[in-house]
Amino acid sequence: MAANKRIMKELGDINSQPPAGCTINLPNESDINNWEVTMQGPPESVYADGHFKIHVSLPKDYPFKPPGISFKTKIYHPNVSNDDRGAMCLGMLRPDEWKPPNKIKDVLALVRTVLAAPQPDDAVETGIAEQFKNDKAAFENNARDWVERYAKGA
Amino acid sequence: MSDSNSTGHSSLSPPPPGSRRSPSPGGTSVSTQIALRNMRRLEARRNMEENHYLTQKARNCNLNPPVDLRALDYVSKYDDNLVCPICRCPLVDPVLLMDCDHCFCRECIRQTWTTYSPLGPKGDCPTCRMPAKLGPRASTSKILVNILDDLVVKCPKSENGCKSEIKRGEVQDHITIYCGYAMVECKDSGCGQSVRRKDYDLGCLHYNVSCESCQQNMPKAELETHWQLQCPDRQVKCDLCSSLIYYRDREEHRKEACPAVNVPCPGAPLGCTNKSRRAHLDIHVKGCVLAKLGPVLDAQKQRMDEQESAHKLINRKLEILETGFTAMQDILSANRSGPPDNGSTETLIVPSRSRAESTATDSTRIASADDYDFPVPPSNRGSAIEPESPPTTNTTRSSTTPRTTATPRSLTSPPLRPAPQAPFPRPTDLPPPTTTDFDLASPFSTTAPGADGPYSSPLHHLLSMHESLRDEMARVSAALTELDGRHSMQILNENLRTRDEIAYLGGQVAGMGRQVHWLTSAQLQRQTPGGSAAAREVGTGASAGGGGAGGSVEGAVNAMSTAATALRGAARVVNVGGGQGSPTSPGMRRGVSEEGRTKL
């Protein structure tokens, strides 16, 4: 109950003041534990023109367990796994790092920051991370290409 | 419960050996036993508190479950600082963590910390990650609790119809004692079911009836709720206007639509006291002047507000302009009493360096006197505009570079030049301007020869000139500081090198001194048979019997002393240049010369 209440609160909060470049909706109105966020790529990054669908799943005991973030839109990024899950690796979301006072809003803001500034040292896709470190131009080309291919649909 | 009982027991009577925590073989010291007992006592107290909390929570939950303070609708606005960071609700039973002083609901922190230690819950603070724990009586100050309890909330039964708004601290009492929509046991003791408190006196309502509209069966007690929330068909007559309405829309109808309800005239805010039935309101409005005036007045009010804000803005602008104007006048009058060469220059393009310097000094004065960044009204010379002046609109900006030829100079001088003639001339008073004067007026001559225009453009011109002069000054001073820095660096470098050389020379002199010493001692030894006489000979300058050897020694010593003086001179020079001579070299020098002297 308390969890629901808090999720409702956060949902209301986020709808009244949505964080920059994000729109939130519930794919299933009766299920407030699964959010779908459409995030615009941060301006002045290689993802600037893309619209990325992100699935946020809130566990039953939400503020005490971290939410899960997964990209539904394919994205060429060292910190997002390049598979069906599109899992994103964020330090903040690790179970031992998670703090109940963190809000979804903060998480989304962090996701956007990581989009703008990839962290190759903390990568899921090591290949992309290597490329990001050694051959930035090629990385940017690839990323733009992927944005063009996958993230323009929305 | 049972756990606490057993431990409570064990603290009183000697515990059974199996329950001991530490496997203490027979001869444990008394102190550990005491420590153990204290531990157990603390544990027991902790458990008692926990149990008290749990029983309180479980109390009275048969009929009305305890109010979940987090699920309440808050009527009063609450400060963000009163919100628990975990559940995002106003704190419920706040506790303060030991060591870091962060505050959470007891329930929230209990859920966050899954591990228990014997001395109570323990873990990392969810906000700052510091290891923290709940103290034995973890609670916060009464003030905070009172503030939280004073928050006004809606009754949790508001969905069922209770309209009361109560302080949060009294919600539980409201539910258990007063609220008409809370459940109580049925009056009929045999029934065993519950009924709303307000229906208590109606007797047992637990017989089935069927809704007359939708034919559903339900106990009588639930009929009203059913009508209110669910029944799709139930219609009643409005007791005021006698029209048929849905039961669930009753309240809304009365508030919004019912034609029989008395409503105030729309002109009420303007002073109309008339109230009439909603149905007859139109008739009144037709005759009511105030109601008709309403929209007009509203629009006017809005316009007035707009005008007022615009007026404020303009006033502010005017104020700034006025201060700028007075400051400008000050500058101009100051110029009149300034150095005579300002006014004496007739030609504006002055090639000589000195002229440029004089304008430069003047401009600094202007810049310092002129501290605002706002357009300053020009002296009235704006009206003295010559149409034939070249439209060099960009020259004002070009004067920023300090060493660009005559153009900037010709631009910097004009504001100073005419000042002595007419400090505050009216446009008519102005002496007929010379063409050269119109380098100044040129940028705006094209824009506004009209009635009011000229004032703003010369003003901007002057202002931009001031700006550029100030820029120039800043650049010059920056260049000066840079030069100064470079110079001192150079001196320092040079000084270092010289000091090194001196040290080297000093070392060499010392070496020579040692050689001389060795030579003299060798000579002395050779003359030992001569004894003291030979020594005297050497002491008096080896004039008598020393022969060639003595002479050579003397020459060496002389050379030494001259070298020493030369060195000293050099050192003095360096000391003067560098300000601080190396502390070692004079000492060494003295040592050398003294050595030489003693040898003599």
Side-chain angles (χ1 to χ4, degrees), chain B residues 136-207:
Chain B
R137 276 205 184 74
S139 173
T140 40
S141 73
K142 203 72 192 162
I143 294 175
L144 177 59
V145 176
N146 287 346
I147 290 173
L148 288 166
D149 279 347
D150 276 354
L151 293 174
V152 178
V153 296
K154 280 186 186 156
C155 173
K157 300 283 180 191
S158 60
E159 278 177 11
N160 300 347
C162 182
K163 292 201 180 54
S164 34
E165 292 176 351
I166 355 134
K167 288 184 180 174
R168 197 182 83 169
E170 294 157 7
V171 168
Q172 189 65 59
D173 283 346
H174 171 78
I175 292 295
T176 47
I177 304 174
Y178 305 109
C179 181
Y181 293 83
M183 298 311 230
V184 290
E185 242 170 62
C186 183
K187 198 171 193 176
D188 187 351
S189 51
C191 172
Q193 296 195 50
S194 58
V195 70
R196 286 191 288 201
R197 183 174 285 119
K198 73 185 181 78
D199 298 335
Y200 178 76
D201 290 332
L202 303 180
C204 180
L205 298 173
H206 296 103
Y207 50 91

Side-chain angles (χ1 to χ4, degrees), chain A residues 16-124:
Chain A
S16 60
Q17 292 175 326
C22 295
T23 48
I24 284 98
N25 41 4
L26 299 178
N28 179 3
E29 282 295 329
S30 59
D31 179 14
I32 58 167
N33 285 46
N34 287 298
W35 296 13
E36 196 171 84
V37 181
T38 309
M39 183 180 286
Q40 278 187 349
E44 293 174 25
S45 74
V46 282
Y47 309 104
D49 297 330
H51 297 263
F52 300 94
K53 277 217 165 76
I54 301 172
H55 184 245
V56 179
S57 64
L58 306 171
K60 280 268 172 292
D61 36 5
Y62 156 57
F64 306 105
K65 293 274 153 54
I69 299 277
S70 56
F71 273 73
K72 292 289 159 210
T73 311
K74 272 168 99 70
I75 180 171
Y76 194 80
H77 191 285
N79 300 103
V80 180
S81 73
N82 180 18
D83 53 16
D84 301 343
R85 292 191 305 125
M88 186 166 206
C89 179
L90 285 180
M92 188 190 199
L93 298 182
R94 257 178 259 137
D96 50 334
E97 285 278 311
W98 172 255
K99 300 192 287 187
N102 292 344
K103 287 188 270 188
I104 300 292
K105 210 173 179 173
D106 306 334
V107 174
L108 290 179
L110 184 66
V111 168
R112 216 166 131 84
T113 318
V114 172
L115 280 196
Q119 297 170 343
D121 298 329
D122 205 11
V124 190

Side-chain angles (χ1 to χ4, degrees), chain A residues 5-6 64 97 99 101, chain B residues 70 86 88 111 127 129:
Chain A
K5 179 89 178 164
R6 163 150 171 179
F64 306 105
E97 285 278 311
K99 300 192 287 187
Chain B
R70 289 189 187 83
I86 296 179
R88 303 268 158 213
Q111 281 191 50
T127 299
R129 287 200 196 292

Side-chain angles (χ1 to χ4, degrees), chain B residues 18-31:
Chain B
S19 75
R20 288 211 171 173
R21 194 147 318 144
S22 64
S24 51
T28 18
S29 63
V30 183
S31 62

Side-chain angles (χ1 to χ4, degrees), chain B residues 377-523:
Chain B
S379 69
N380 303 338
R381 282 178 301 109
S383 62
I385 282 155
E386 264 208 8
E388 71 225 46
S389 55
T392 53
T393 36
N394 283 336
T395 44
T396 49
R397 292 291 168 208
S398 74
S399 65
T400 47
T401 50
R403 282 190 184 99
T404 44
T405 65
T407 333
R409 250 176 269 145
S410 72
L411 281 170
T412 50
S413 45
L416 317 170
R417 204 192 65 78
Q421 303 167 348
F424 314 113
R426 292 171 174 281
T428 48
D429 297 340
L430 261 189
T434 55
T435 37
T436 45
D437 205 355
F438 275 79
D439 276 357
L440 163 68
S442 57
F444 28 86
S445 64
T446 50
T447 58
D452 51 351
Y455 282 89
S456 66
S457 19
L459 154 74
H460 284 300
H461 182 56
L462 276 179
L463 185 75
S464 62
M465 274 193 307
H466 280 176
E467 277 303 304
S468 65
L469 279 173
R470 212 180 298 170
D471 281 358
E472 206 173 316
M473 272 312 295
R475 213 168 299 120
V476 167
S477 71
L480 261 178
T481 33
E482 194 197 349
L483 196 68
D484 188 35
R486 221 185 291 161
H487 198 223
S488 53
M489 202 59 213
Q490 221 170 348
I491 287 176
L492 205 68
N493 281 344
E494 198 66 21
N495 215 355
L496 267 179
R497 204 169 55 80
T498 323
R499 219 177 290 155
D500 279 355
E501 263 169 31
I502 287 172
Y504 173 71
L505 280 177
Q508 286 213 322
V509 166
M512 272 166 69
R514 240 171 281 129
Q515 269 180 335
V516 166
H517 187 254
W518 180 79
L519 276 175
T520 39
S521 59
Q523 192 74 20

